[in-house]
Amino acid sequence: MYDVEIVKDFYSEFGAKVERARKALDRPLTLTEKILYAHLYDDREISPLGRCTDYANFRPDRVAMQDATAQMALLQFMNAGKDAVCVPSTVHCDHLICAHKGVESDLPEALKTNSEVYDFLASASARYGIGFWKPGAGIIHQIVLENYAFPGGMMVGTDSHTPNAGGLGMLAIGVGGADAVDVMTGMEWELKMPKIIGVRLSGRLRGWTSAKDIILKLAGILTTKGATNAIIEYFGPGASTLSCTGKATCCNMGAEVGATTSVFPFDSSMAHYLASTGREIVAELATENAVNLRADNEVLAEPEKYYDRIIDIDLTTLEPRYNGPFTPDAAHIAREMKDEIKGCNYPEKVEVSLIGSCTNSSYQDLSRAASVARQALEAGLKPVAQLIVNPGSERIKATAERDGILQTLKDAGAVIMTNACGPCIGQWKRITDDPTAHNSIVTTFNRNFAKRADGNPNTHAFIVSPEMAVAVAFAGKLGFDPAADSIGEFKFHAPEGNDLPLEGFAPYEEGYVAPQAGSPDPVIRPDSERIQKLKAFEPWNGEDFISLPLLIKTKGKCTTDHISMAGPWLKYRGHLENISENLLMGAVDAFSGETGPVAPLARKYRDEGTGSIVIAEDNYGEGSSREHAAMEPRFLGVKAILAKSFARIHETNLKKQGVLALTFCDPDDYDKVRKGDVIDVICSTITPGGRIAVILHHDDGKSETIWANHTYNEQQIRWFKAGSALNSLK
């Protein structure tokens, strides 16, 4: 399950690679730089790489895929002509399990409903040398933290919250399936050298504050795009006071501010976590290499010289927060939330408190949550809001059961769901009398976009810590501040909980299946509605895109949830034709202000031979790593996306699939695009660093030319010409 020899080999060379990088750059290094330069695809000749200007090719140590994205990744890998993956890779079945009545009935139902997909993933994993984690084993990022992450390593994962492994000092980066295929085939993995944002932590958490409040505060500072093309590196004396899983919580939600990934320096909390999860050898090796698993002393002494931005957070003065609704960067201090409710007319009654997701489902999270529940139960209180819990893994669940944590939560009325993502990614069959009612919920999740959890656009979801979620469940109202407020005569005291179980983790069923040499090719039924073999996209003909009809001009936030909805559409993640029916279904049309089906019109333009173009605003493609949001428009004939700006992963996914990703040179030109426009994109002479003319032909007979930027380098232009990165690889 875990090849320690690979880790031994890594550490045997790591120090020498860091020293070569230090000499090449002729200066001290940040932790981020040490890991990046140590993972260059060809590190024989190291030269300084400009941040946000130079592209570099890397050799990650491993790949992780969750079941919803693994389908398309493996279908692409099957077309790459390889007999086996070239780096350790795993598939984790955590996304397709719907949370409804509880684990006892939900897991068997998922095994039945998704049997075809699970059989495909299991057989493809066995055939190509990939480790397979069964449904119910746990959430991908918790499993990776418990079994695979190691300080100084680098991995890619087909989920935007892959950075969770930064809690163990690993550069773990969310990517699309095509990027994962590059790594699995042994090819270079390309990334623009990121900026580095240093977050200096001082003090120590106290009272009701938790690691979750660190990232909730940071989201309010940076907003959802403030760390785009940047890595967040935590440092300072406060960093070492956090538990390993607390660090992982901070890194996990770095995706919500657009960060490429986040990372903490190695310390004793990581060593203890490694040892407690059966990796004593890794802890010893990391301890021996500790000097290279943190920023150099000169960097720590004068961080302003080495980071692109410094953000200071004093943990001692940090306060609990509510972030939301509808966006994870709307940060509110708990004691000020009552005024926000009145000013914004949020529904005050809290209907549901949800605990779990890859962000907050560790032993410490559940331990502190149970501490709060125990206080209220002993005072004779009952929860007002429904309480739902998703443990992070079977290891966590078994230990929490042994230690009475789950029983305490059950006594508080909690429904224990499967060890899976569930409501966090829209897999929640919510029991409600009115599925469109205006209501509020609190969650420990990472995202709270409209409709994400339960499909109801009127659900106001607020992100909080696990301990806050339980306190709010008993109070039953938004804005409850347990540090100051009472429930009748009862007042909570600060929660308590252990970072790791005092008796060690309990025995548990791993749910892991090792790859099997000589396994047959995966079987895909020709009439399947869930799995469909991929056909290669057509190469570009080298000509300008002339007379492209405007498919849609989107208004406001247009995330991957808007472009390719999750929820019930997850079942089609392995069938490009079927899932393409949801293309841009959630996007708001700038002219009508409405949402609705877009795929039929896109298909019409495709079949007529013209294709189409999409116009969008800032941070287009914010959210998950799902490459379906790029493959669907490609499949339905969209030639180009012209936006004010892109989220990093989505821009890369578009490039990988052969869709031309452009940004307005002047963002105000967005307003010049009119309903009914036919658009020319003069791209035949595309070169790195060049601009592209875009001609708008209005229906009044007038035309005007605007200009667009792009970030394509020579290799990415080759992808575009070939029709996709996979075509170029083949």
Side-chain angles (χ1 to χ4, degrees):
M1 186 165 67
Y2 190 88
D3 190 348
V4 74
E5 295 303 318
I6 293 174
V7 182
K8 288 181 178 179
D9 290 344
F10 168 81
Y11 283 125
S12 70
E13 301 177 349
F14 183 55
K17 290 183 176 182
V18 169
E19 185 56 33
R20 287 202 299 272
R22 192 181 287 115
K23 288 181 178 179
L25 274 66
D26 192 27
R27 61 170 175 78
L29 302 177
T30 65
L31 171 60
T32 296
E33 290 171 321
K34 292 178 181 182
I35 301 175
L36 287 175
Y37 280 96
H39 284 86
L40 289 173
Y41 195 81
D42 185 351
D43 63 353
R44 291 172 296 182
E45 296 183 9
I46 298 177
S47 59
L49 295 163
R51 297 179 188 175
C52 275
T53 56
D54 292 338
Y55 283 87
N57 292 321
F58 295 99
R59 192 190 300 271
D61 299 302
R62 60 181 314 116
V63 175
M65 298 165 279
Q66 40 95 336
D67 49 355
T69 53
Q71 297 170 61
M72 199 58 70
L74 292 179
L75 287 166
Q76 292 178 85
F77 183 83
M78 288 166 61
N79 283 352
K82 291 281 186 178
D83 286 329
V85 294
C86 296
V87 300
S89 304
T90 50
V91 167
H92 305 258
C93 297
D94 63 353
H95 270 55
L96 299 179
I97 302 168
C98 186
H100 183 206
K101 297 179 180 179
V103 59
E104 293 81 6
S105 60
D106 294 350
L107 183 56
E109 179 63 26
L111 292 170
K112 177 182 176 182
T113 302
N114 303 309
S115 60
E116 181 185 358
V117 173
Y118 294 147
D119 289 347
F120 166 73
L121 293 175
S123 60
S125 296
R127 168 66 178 81
Y128 295 112
I130 299 169
F132 180 75
W133 289 83
K134 296 179 182 179
I139 301 173
I140 174 173
H141 309 306
Q142 183 66 31
I143 294 292
V144 167
L145 197 72
E146 292 177 3
N147 296 278
Y148 300 119
F150 63 92
M154 180 188 232
M155 68 173 286
V156 298
T158 59
D159 188 277
S160 57
H161 293 98
T162 300
N164 191 80
L168 258 176
M170 192 175 208
L171 283 191
I173 302 172
V175 299
D179 278 23
V181 170
D182 285 350
V183 179
M184 289 190 291
T185 57
M187 296 291 291
E188 307 96 327
W189 177 64
E190 182 188 70
L191 179 72
K192 182 180 282 188
M193 215 50 187
K195 296 181 294 184
I196 308 175
I197 297 173
V199 177
R200 179 166 46 199
L201 302 179
S202 60
R204 179 184 291 270
L205 294 173
R206 61 180 187 175
W208 283 88
T209 54
S210 72
K212 185 61 166 280
D213 296 301
I214 300 172
I215 189 61
L216 294 182
K217 177 181 175 66
L218 192 60
I221 295 170
L222 288 171
T223 76
T224 56
K225 61 177 182 177
T228 301
N229 293 321
I231 289 177
I232 297 173
E233 181 175 320
Y234 292 88
F235 69 100
S240 62
T241 67
L242 302 176
S243 69
C244 179
T245 52
K247 293 178 173 73
T249 293
C250 295
C251 293
N252 180 294
M253 266 194 74
E256 272 52 70
V257 296
T260 301
T261 190
S262 303
V263 67
F264 275 84
F266 175 73
D267 62 16
S268 60
S269 70
M270 295 185 190
H272 292 153
Y273 185 82
L274 286 166
S276 72
T277 51
R279 292 171 286 172
E280 293 87 350
I281 294 176
V282 180
E284 293 172 5
L285 292 169
T287 301
E288 292 170 3
N289 286 271
V291 69
N292 286 318
L293 293 171
R294 57 177 174 80
D296 285 337
N297 290 334
E298 297 89 338
V299 174
L300 298 176
E302 298 182 278
E304 292 79 6
K305 291 175 60 176
Y306 302 98
Y307 296 103
D308 296 281
R309 179 179 178 182
I310 300 290
I311 297 172
D312 282 289
I313 297 179
D314 181 357
L315 303 183
T316 304
T317 61
L318 191 66
E319 298 182 64
R321 278 165 163 72
Y322 290 83
N323 276 33
F326 307 130
T327 184
D329 60 345
H332 313 291
I333 297 173
R335 61 181 169 81
E336 299 174 350
M337 192 64 192
K338 296 180 183 67
D339 293 334
E340 291 290 334
I341 296 169
K342 294 176 182 177
C344 300
N345 198 30
Y346 298 143
E348 185 176 19
K349 180 182 178 182
V350 172
E351 305 281 352
V352 189
S353 286
L354 300 114
I355 298 173
S357 87
C358 57
T359 320
N360 282 108
S361 55
S362 68
Y363 181 86
Q364 182 183 30
D365 291 327
L366 297 184
S367 176
R368 285 173 65 88
S371 166
V372 177
R374 193 175 301 112
Q375 295 178 50
L377 292 172
E378 289 174 354
L381 298 180
K382 294 183 178 180
V384 179
Q386 182 185 13
L387 189 59
I388 293 176
V389 178
N390 283 76
S393 69
E394 191 61 24
R395 188 196 307 247
I396 299 297
K397 180 174 180 255
T399 308
E401 284 180 329
R402 181 200 66 191
D403 295 348
I405 291 172
L406 289 190
Q407 187 57 53
T408 297
L409 294 172
K410 289 179 182 177
D411 291 344
V415 178
I416 308 301
M417 299 293 183
T418 312
N419 312 316
C421 302
C424 184
I425 49 94
Q427 285 286 63
W428 182 21
K429 190 174 182 181
R430 184 176 177 182
I431 300 172
T432 176
D433 295 331
D434 185 354
T436 64
H438 285 261
N439 73 104
S440 289
I441 64 174
V442 294
T443 82
T444 67
F445 306 161
N446 39 51
R447 292 197 175 131
N448 56 350
F449 305 142
K451 299 197 294 185
R452 182 172 177 89
D454 60 1
N456 180 1
N458 299 315
T459 293
H460 296 59
F462 294 84
I463 305 172
V464 297
S465 66
E467 44 269 63
M468 281 287 289
V470 175
V472 172
F474 279 92
K477 60 182 180 180
L478 199 61
F480 180 73
D481 178 8
D485 298 338
S486 300
I487 304 175
E489 298 297 319
F490 170 77
K491 189 175 186 299
F492 288 105
H493 61 71
E496 300 173 350
N498 297 312
D499 297 358
L500 294 167
L502 298 178
E503 299 179 23
F505 285 105
Y508 66 102
E509 184 177 343
E510 293 168 344
Y512 174 75
V513 181
Q516 304 158 34
S519 296
D521 290 340
V523 177
I524 301 174
R525 296 201 320 257
D527 61 342
S528 173
E529 294 185 351
R530 300 288 301 269
I531 305 292
Q532 181 187 50
K533 286 187 176 181
L534 292 175
K535 295 181 180 179
F537 292 129
E538 290 294 323
W540 177 45
N541 63 10
E543 299 177 0
D544 296 326
F545 295 146
I546 302 298
S547 300
L548 294 178
L550 175 59
L551 178 62
I552 186 174
K553 178 181 177 181
T554 69
K555 180 180 180 181
K557 188 183 284 285
C558 194
T559 71
T560 49
D561 278 358
H562 295 87
I563 304 167
S564 175
M565 286 185 177
W569 291 93
L570 280 172
K571 66 182 179 181
Y572 296 128
R573 285 287 179 86
H575 199 292
L576 182 56
E577 185 174 2
N578 283 347
I579 198 170
S580 292
E581 291 301 308
N582 75 7
L583 175 66
L584 289 160
M585 184 177 288
V588 177
D589 184 277
F591 304 115
S592 68
E594 298 177 353
T595 61
V598 175
L601 185 60
R603 188 185 308 104
K604 172 180 177 293
Y605 291 145
R606 179 198 66 183
D607 295 346
E608 290 175 350
T610 62
S612 58
I613 185 172
V614 172
I615 305 296
E617 295 202 75
D618 275 315
N619 212 29
Y620 181 79
E622 171 194 344
S624 79
S625 68
R626 71 189 67 154
E627 64 190 328
H628 301 78
M631 296 186 79
E632 290 178 33
R634 181 70 166 99
F635 178 75
L636 290 175
V638 174
K639 304 289 188 183
I641 311 284
L642 175 57
K644 291 183 180 180
S645 64
F646 288 100
R648 176 193 63 84
I649 298 177
H650 188 65
E651 182 179 21
T652 300
N653 285 346
L654 290 171
K655 291 178 178 180
K656 288 277 186 175
Q657 302 304 335
V659 180
L660 191 60
L662 305 173
T663 56
F664 291 99
C665 290
D666 180 355
D668 291 340
D669 285 344
Y670 168 88
D671 297 323
K672 295 179 179 179
V673 180
R674 304 178 191 171
K675 184 176 182 179
D677 277 357
V678 175
I679 301 172
D680 301 337
V681 180
I682 311 304
C683 57
S684 57
T685 58
I686 184 172
T687 57
R691 297 193 306 169
I692 288 178
V694 177
I695 305 172
L696 308 176
H697 300 286
H698 306 307
D699 58 9
D700 62 2
K702 296 180 180 179
S703 299
E704 55 185 317
T705 299
I706 60 176
W707 291 90
N709 292 319
H710 69 82
T711 61
Y712 286 75
N713 59 24
E714 291 285 2
Q715 175 170 276
Q716 293 167 347
I717 290 174
R718 288 195 294 272
W719 299 343
F720 178 59
K721 290 179 176 179
S724 71
L726 186 57
N727 287 358
S728 180
L729 171 65
K730 291 175 68 177

